[in-house]
Amino acid sequence: MSRIVFVNGAFVPYEEASVPIMDRGFLFADGIYDVAAVIDGKLVDNEAHLARLVRCLRDIGIESPYTIEEWTRHEEELVTRNGLSEGLVYMQVTRGVFERDFAFPPESVKPTVVMFTQAKSIASSKLAKTGAGVITTPDLRWKRRDIKSIALLAQVLAKQEAVRAGVAEAWMVEEDGYVTEGASSTAFIITRDGRIVTRPLSNAILPGITRRAVMRLAEEQGLAVEERLFTVAEAQDAAEAFFTSASAFVMPAVTIDGKPVGDGKPGPLTKRLRALYLDMAAASNSGNMR
Amino acid sequence: MSRIVFVNGAFVPYEEASVPIMDRGFLFADGIYDVAAVIDGKLVDNEAHLARLVRCLRDIGIESPYTIEEWTRHEEELVTRNGLSEGLVYMQVTRGVFERDFAFPPESVKPTVVMFTQAKSIASSKLAKTGAGVITTPDLRWKRRDIKSIALLAQVLAKQEAVRAGVAEAWMVEEDGYVTEGASSTAFIITRDGRIVTRPLSNAILPGITRRAVMRLAEEQGLAVEERLFTVAEAQDAAEAFFTSASAFVMPAVTIDGKPVGDGKPGPLTKRLRALYLDMAAASNSGNMR
């Protein structure tokens, strides 16, 4: 089965999928993206991803080209056409194609929409069994990190630092010493008295969809969830640590800058949260989506 | 004459110029750009632009695909093929095309190169005669503004605010109240005692090529040039103000947030600096490039 992607309403072979060089996504990073997981051929927590996509588009003055229903239909068709069982659906919208100029193009210019799937082990991730290493790096990003824009160069450079260090993720740290989030994930720690801690929402971080689902699942289990800042030192000294994203679900962080967290293995509460999330993802397949 | 652009070594009709959707410029803003002016069919201060392009590429770990000589040859051919007399040559390099993943692709992946020309009145700009209005807006950008990356969403939003306010440029302001630079230009003021003031180079601003040329020209004329921070209030209260870029050269800023600077007309020293820069640009055409 050859790979099919979605470009501006059409399902086209991957090899033929392109955008004009004057696309504002290519010239200005003038666009928004989102990513939803697929498990057993079904989208996970998809409505929340689409709601964030539409909100972020509105934040930068782009009207969503599709309704939630239309987005969902296109995603599902893309999953079907690619026979995707486990992986991701990627969606990107840019301000369209127009002669290069910083200011917005005329309203008649239509946004560009690109979607594609990626096969990937998520529920069955091997890394989740051993846990991931994390490094820390200064957070170089702009001040509207609550907007999931395609201006990702800072995140690319942070992730590459992680790769160079032989680990899976980089946690970014503000000048004040507090962790913001991972290059492509939300950062969590679990204190020695069992409190699940993550940074409160603000312009400093992306409002993670998996973050929200995990917090809700934890609260439903009567676990203590605390939204507050934490430093690298506190994270290294925590009982457990993990990070969440659509493509990692709940991923144990077992070292931070080379220092083991707890005993350097995935912690019991992290494993429990991962299992709860996997159950939720499986339940979503039967239509019982939260 | 139909428009010809440059894509990865080939000169192609504009209508056919595209990049694959997996280009890292489109997905991650993982690339660098630069812009050089063309006057009377000749590139202005082009070596300085190319040196900055190559330096910025190196800063994000991309090797320049061409030598300075090769870049120049391609630019000149593009100018000739488009019969460009006055305007811009735009150059962009991205980390190339590879399956989406934040980390760098393998070294075998070749950078993408795109170049195009834009016809534009620069020396003959009408706006330079009346002067431009400027608004101010919070600087939302990342911390490595010395890198001329294509992650330009913050600048796009700033410029659009200017357009909405009916003016030509937005000066961005740090939380500490000091002006950094324009959305696509360097900000200058001239004090009442005739000192030309602009922000010193750092990670907070782009090292403007036109900025540097104008500072050198001013110093050669025995004018006082001072690199220091200034606030919006000081700029509004200055004798003159202006901004510089490859596409604006020296542009008088005659209002700031609606307040006239000086008498609200292009100031005498600003006009003199613009004339000096135009002379330099003309001289560059006869091969006497600085």
Side-chain angles (χ1 to χ4, degrees):
Chain A
M1 182 183 283
S2 78
R3 188 180 191 182
I4 299 293
V5 302
F6 177 97
V7 181
N8 294 327
F11 291 89
V12 296
Y14 170 69
E15 296 71 24
E16 296 168 19
S18 64
V19 291
I21 59 166
M22 286 294 178
D23 193 282
R24 292 180 63 93
F26 184 68
L27 298 178
F28 290 115
D30 192 7
I32 301 293
Y33 77 106
D34 217 301
V35 183
V38 172
I39 298 291
D40 291 336
K42 302 287 180 187
L43 291 154
V44 177
D45 219 355
N46 186 50
E47 284 199 12
H49 286 284
L50 290 176
R52 182 173 64 185
L53 176 66
V54 171
R55 188 269 300 169
C56 288
L57 285 168
R58 197 172 49 233
D59 280 356
I60 68 165
I62 299 177
E63 205 184 330
S64 174
Y66 302 125
T67 63
I68 299 292
E69 292 68 31
E70 288 167 338
W71 276 115
T72 307
R73 203 166 61 235
H74 295 321
E75 289 178 276
E76 289 174 348
E77 182 164 352
L78 196 61
V79 167
T80 303
R81 282 184 182 244
N82 287 281
L84 184 69
S85 170
E86 187 168 341
L88 304 170
V89 172
Y90 176 91
M91 297 163 269
Q92 175 171 328
V93 182
T94 78
R95 209 181 304 276
V97 179
F98 198 70
E99 186 64 38
R100 186 179 187 277
D101 183 21
F102 280 81
F104 293 1
E107 297 208 350
S108 57
V109 172
K110 294 260 180 301
T112 298
V113 183
V114 164
M115 297 173 58
F116 55 83
T117 54
Q118 288 183 314
K120 191 178 158 89
S121 293
I122 300 177
S124 53
S125 161
K126 277 181 195 158
L127 189 59
K129 290 188 176 56
T130 57
V134 162
I135 57 153
T136 65
T137 186
D139 196 331
L140 301 179
R141 294 174 301 161
W142 75 328
K143 298 199 175 78
R144 289 301 307 276
R145 303 166 193 157
D146 54 318
I147 297 176
K148 199 167 172 72
S149 93
I150 55 171
L152 292 165
L153 180 54
Q155 288 91 318
V156 162
L157 297 176
K159 189 72 90 173
Q160 184 60 16
E161 269 188 67
V163 168
R164 249 184 241 122
V167 299
E169 182 57 305
W171 282 7
M172 298 180 285
V173 183
E174 292 282 43
E175 280 162 18
D176 61 13
Y178 291 104
V179 173
T180 52
E181 60 189 331
S184 61
S185 64
T186 306
F188 286 82
I189 60 172
I190 303 177
T191 63
R192 287 163 190 240
D193 58 350
R195 302 179 75 80
I196 299 163
V197 177
T198 194
R199 188 174 179 115
L201 296 184
S202 73
N203 290 352
I205 61 166
L206 186 78
I209 302 303
T210 313
R211 170 190 184 277
R212 189 173 75 180
V214 166
M215 286 169 68
R216 197 188 299 131
L217 291 168
E219 282 163 355
E220 285 171 6
Q221 297 287 313
L223 300 168
V225 177
E226 208 173 304
E227 289 183 88
R228 65 166 173 84
L229 306 190
F230 60 88
T231 63
V232 175
E234 186 182 2
Q236 289 173 321
D237 200 43
E240 305 180 30
F242 64 93
F243 55 87
T244 61
S245 73
S247 63
F249 281 6
V250 175
M251 180 61 66
V254 292
T255 63
I256 298 174
D257 289 337
K259 288 197 185 172
V261 179
D263 63 0
K265 290 179 189 150
L269 212 42
T270 300
K271 286 198 270 194
R272 189 170 152 202
L273 289 169
R274 182 174 175 86
L276 285 167
Y277 190 86
L278 285 169
D279 285 350
M280 189 209 82
S284 77
N285 293 348
S286 54
N288 296 323
M289 199 54 225
R290 303 160 176 275
Chain B
M1 181 182 282
S2 76
R3 188 178 189 183
I4 299 294
V5 302
F6 177 97
V7 181
N8 295 326
F11 292 88
V12 296
Y14 170 69
E15 295 72 24
E16 295 168 20
S18 64
V19 292
I21 59 165
M22 286 293 178
D23 193 282
R24 294 179 63 92
F26 184 68
L27 298 178
F28 290 116
D30 192 7
I32 300 292
Y33 77 106
D34 217 303
V35 183
V38 171
I39 298 292
D40 292 336
K42 303 287 180 186
L43 290 154
V44 177
D45 218 354
N46 186 49
E47 284 200 11
H49 285 284
L50 290 175
R52 182 173 64 184
L53 176 66
V54 171
R55 188 270 299 168
C56 288
L57 285 168
R58 197 172 49 231
D59 280 356
I60 67 165
I62 299 177
E63 205 183 329
S64 174
Y66 302 125
T67 63
I68 299 291
E69 293 69 31
E70 288 166 339
W71 275 115
T72 307
R73 203 166 61 236
H74 295 320
E75 288 177 277
E76 288 174 347
E77 182 165 352
L78 197 61
V79 168
T80 303
R81 282 183 183 246
N82 287 281
L84 184 69
S85 171
E86 187 168 340
L88 303 170
V89 173
Y90 176 91
M91 296 163 270
Q92 176 170 329
V93 182
T94 79
R95 208 181 304 275
V97 179
F98 198 69
E99 186 63 38
R100 186 178 187 277
D101 183 22
F102 280 80
F104 293 1
E107 297 209 349
S108 58
V109 173
K110 295 260 181 300
T112 299
V113 183
V114 164
M115 297 173 58
F116 55 82
T117 53
Q118 288 183 314
K120 191 180 158 90
S121 293
I122 301 178
S124 54
S125 161
K126 278 181 196 161
L127 189 61
K129 290 187 176 56
T130 56
V134 162
I135 57 153
T136 64
T137 186
D139 197 331
L140 301 179
R141 295 174 301 160
W142 75 328
K143 299 200 174 79
R144 289 301 307 276
R145 302 166 192 157
D146 54 317
I147 297 176
K148 198 168 172 74
S149 92
I150 54 171
L152 292 166
L153 179 54
Q155 289 92 318
V156 162
L157 297 177
K159 190 72 89 172
Q160 184 61 16
E161 269 189 66
V163 168
R164 250 184 240 120
V167 299
E169 182 58 305
W171 282 8
M172 296 180 287
V173 184
E174 292 282 43
E175 279 163 18
D176 61 12
Y178 291 105
V179 173
T180 53
E181 59 190 329
S184 62
S185 64
T186 305
F188 286 82
I189 59 172
I190 303 177
T191 62
R192 286 162 191 241
D193 58 350
R195 302 179 76 79
I196 299 162
V197 177
T198 194
R199 190 175 177 113
L201 296 184
S202 72
N203 291 351
I205 61 167
L206 187 79
I209 302 304
T210 313
R211 170 190 185 276
R212 189 172 76 182
V214 166
M215 286 170 66
R216 197 188 299 130
L217 291 168
E219 281 163 355
E220 284 171 6
Q221 297 287 315
L223 299 169
V225 177
E226 210 172 304
E227 290 183 87
R228 64 165 172 83
L229 305 191
F230 60 87
T231 63
V232 175
E234 186 182 1
Q236 289 173 321
D237 199 44
E240 304 179 32
F242 64 94
F243 55 88
T244 61
S245 74
S247 63
F249 282 8
V250 175
M251 180 61 67
V254 293
T255 62
I256 298 174
D257 288 337
K259 288 197 186 174
V261 179
D263 62 0
K265 292 179 187 151
L269 212 43
T270 300
K271 287 199 268 192
R272 188 168 153 203
L273 290 170
R274 182 172 175 87
L276 285 167
Y277 191 85
L278 284 169
D279 285 350
M280 189 208 82
S284 77
N285 293 348
S286 54
N288 296 326
M289 199 54 225
R290 304 164 174 269

